[in-house]
Amino acid sequence: MPPSEPSGRPVTAHPSPKEPAAGDRLNRIANRIPAPLRAGFASAVARRDRALEAPVHQARTNALLGAALGVSFTVCFLTGLYSHLAQQPSGFFSNPARPAGLYRFTQGLHVATGIVSVPLLLAKLWAAFPHLFQTPPVRHIAHLLERVSIAILVAGSLFMLGTGLANSARWYPFPFNFVPAHYAVAWITIGALIVHIGAKATISRRALFPAADEVDRPAGEVVPAGALTRRGFLGATAAGAGILTLTTIGQTVEPLKEVARLAPRRPDQGVDGVPVNRPAAEAGVLQSARSPDYRLVVDGKVKKKLQLTLAQLQGMDQHTAGLPITCVEGWSAQANWTGIPFRDLLALAGAADGAEATVYSLQTGGSYRSSEVNSSHAHDGDTLLALQMNGRELALDHGFPLRLIAPNRPGVNQTKWIYRIEVK
Ligand code: HEM
Ligand code: HEM
Ligand SMILES: Nc1nc2c(c(=O)[nH]1)N[C@H]1C(S)=C(S)[C@@H](COP(=O)(O)O)O[C@H]1N2
Ligand SMILES: [Mo]
């Protein structure tokens, strides 16, 4: 006799077209459960089965939200990979100086799609929740692997969004280093996502593009009173995503800066109207940057080693360029920079054509105290050792006396308080 609820309603397994025997197996499992627990188990299964019929939990809702997440995670992954390559000098990719605003676009997009993914993921987990309790929990080895991949996908997604959001809000509560952890888990999460898409391909296709005989429920069917419709649920999710975007995107899209209420930064707020990432005091350069003994040294593979005072630097030919600072954390701000073209200094020192260089900051600790200037950046006419921002002497917090500013370059590599250029 099959186990039954007190009401006498037989327990049914979640209907699965491929597994006609699932119901029998479920009954066999239920029969092994001690009698007192059996009723509880049966009613839990019945409750789950009812939940699975609600529009918000159906395959179509899962597939629609899944498709949106598939797009947003792919965009995050590709823009994230580009960010990684742009920062890490490697043998096979050298970040070009043009187009000047490329990194501003890709990293703004990375953080914006990351933020949009938060309401999408919460909605998806809500929609998917009753599907997690499959009976029996494991059917065969492939099914076990699929269940494990679901666990990895959910944990990885939560980790990516949690760490990304915290970092872009400049909150570092983790005991590990954000960048390598976010990078490694990105690969794992995308791997699990590909497995998930493979596992759900057929059901997704049926749910999104049903043939006439596959329609989930008859058109125009009445949703039980009080139940959330799919349209209402997806509409609320889209509205949440829209509001979050509108209140944060102004950190990089200037015209929307006034409504950027939730953005950690505004592009027009900071020292001399431009945000500051690490102030001079925090970098420990208050004395060294203002010292009369300051010299810019150009050495390494040069014909003539240079040592220039601030007055000498100010006396050289200056060039002005409008360039953004694009922080990896998602904000960016445009300014007019005036200074000495990097390539002019290299030429003056007699560096070889196509030479690369490392620039060093007066800052004595921290990961951003030096950066690599590849050949494309070193020889672009707009790559400057800036002395001025928006027509005024560079503020101490923006890198006085001398900072690097170049087109298409992550903010972390726009090194401030430069005192040495080593030609390679
Ligand atoms: C970050 C991205 C995603 C996460 C975290 C996620 C999470 C989940 C979870 C936890 C389930 C419950 C499934 C189970 O226990 O077997 C599920 C089901 C499902 N997902 Fe995803 N998913 C994601 C992306 C996608 C994508 C890209 C698609 C494809 C368009 C998709 C389509 C589906 C479908 C069709 C189901 C099954 C619904 C059913 O059986 O009725 N998901 N998802
Ligand atoms: C599935 C979602 C995501 C994926 C696959 C992803 C992937 C990546 C990758 C591969 C990097 C490059 C790491 C490196 O340079 O080694 C990166 C960087 C970054 N991501 Fe994400 N990310 C995701 C979501 C997010 C979210 C939601 C945010 C914030 C709202 C975010 C913020 C950042 C930030 C601030 C960086 C720059 C780190 C740095 O260089 O200092 N990410 N991401
Ligand atoms: N020496 C040094 N240069 C630095 C940093 C730093 O910490 N130390 N931070 C970088 C980062 S992360 C960014 S986004 C830009 C910000 O420049 P700003 O403070 O002038 O806006 O400076 C870069 N240059
Ligand atoms: Mo930054």
Side-chain angles (χ1 to χ4, degrees), residues 159-176:
F159 182 90
M160 290 312 290
L161 302 195
T163 53
L165 268 188
N167 181 260
S168 65
R170 291 179 299 141
W171 181 46
Y172 311 98
F174 328 105
F176 49 82

Side-chain angles (χ1 to χ4, degrees), residues 73 76-77 80-81 83-84 87-88 107 110-111 114-115 160-161 164-165 167-168 178-180 182-183 186 189-190 328-330 368 412:
F73 273 42
C76 272
F77 185 60
L81 274 190
S83 179
H84 178 84
Q87 286 174 58
Q88 253 68 43
Q107 195 59 12
H110 184 84
V111 173
I115 289 171
M160 290 312 290
L161 302 195
L165 268 188
N167 181 260
S168 65
F178 164 77
V179 182
H182 190 79
Y183 181 69
T189 307
I190 294 300
V328 293
E329 290 161 11
Y368 307 134
V412 291

Side-chain angles (χ1 to χ4, degrees), residues 90-341:
S90 74
F92 75 102
F93 180 81
S94 182
N95 189 37
R98 301 285 158 172
L102 177 64
Y103 186 76
R104 179 185 214 178
F105 174 76
T106 62
Q107 195 59 12
L109 188 64
H110 184 84
V111 173
T113 37
I115 289 171
V116 160
S117 302
V118 174
L120 293 180
L121 183 65
L122 294 178
K124 170 83 184 187
L125 293 181
W126 177 260
F129 190 69
H131 293 270
L132 290 175
F133 305 96
Q134 297 192 353
T135 38
V138 174
R139 281 188 241 117
H140 40 73
I141 187 79
H143 184 236
L144 173 67
L145 294 177
E146 195 259 336
R147 303 321 289 160
V148 170
S149 81
I150 288 276
I152 294 172
L153 176 62
V154 172
S157 303
L158 290 170
F159 182 90
M160 290 312 290
L161 302 195
T163 53
L165 268 188
N167 181 260
S168 65
R170 291 179 299 141
W171 181 46
Y172 311 98
F174 328 105
F176 49 82
N177 189 335
F178 164 77
V179 182
H182 190 79
Y183 181 69
V185 178
W187 285 98
I188 296 169
T189 307
I190 294 300
L193 181 58
I194 291 169
V195 173
H196 181 60
I197 292 173
K200 305 293 181 188
T202 307
I203 186 163
S204 295
R205 189 203 50 75
R206 275 207 205 118
L208 294 175
F209 313 103
D213 59 339
E214 288 173 346
V215 180
D216 226 7
R217 32 178 61 215
E221 191 196 347
V222 185
V223 174
L228 195 52
T229 61
R230 169 156 47 239
R231 190 164 295 202
F233 179 63
L234 294 180
T237 306
I243 290 168
L244 271 179
T245 302
L246 210 60
T247 51
T248 50
I249 195 82
Q251 64 179 325
T252 183
V253 177
E254 221 19 272
L256 288 172
K257 65 188 181 196
E258 297 299 335
V259 288
R261 297 296 165 85
L262 293 182
R265 304 282 200 163
R266 267 185 54 170
D268 59 344
Q269 286 178 4
V271 179
D272 291 337
V274 172
V276 166
N277 197 297
R278 178 169 284 119
E282 234 179 71
V285 299
L286 287 176
Q287 262 99 59
S288 52
R290 282 187 293 210
S291 162
D293 297 333
Y294 171 83
R295 299 285 181 279
L296 173 71
V297 175
V298 184
D299 61 5
K301 287 194 184 155
V302 292
K303 294 211 182 85
K304 188 171 63 173
K305 189 175 154 178
L306 307 178
Q307 270 213 20
L308 301 161
T309 64
L310 184 53
Q312 284 174 315
L313 290 166
Q314 285 161 341
M316 293 176 67
D317 281 348
Q318 309 281 312
H319 173 72
T320 298
L323 293 172
I325 291 190
T326 302
C327 185
V328 293
E329 290 161 11
W331 62 266
S332 67
Q334 184 80 13
N336 282 318
W337 307 89
T338 304
I340 305 145

Side-chain angles (χ1 to χ4, degrees), residues 275-278 325 327 331 361 363 368-369 397-398 403 411-412 414-417:
V276 166
N277 197 297
R278 178 169 284 119
I325 291 190
C327 185
W331 62 266
S361 171
Q363 190 184 343
Y368 307 134
R369 66 180 189 277
D397 284 342
H398 284 303
R403 82 165 304 160
V412 291
Q414 307 277 35
T415 309
K416 304 195 277 191
W417 313 294

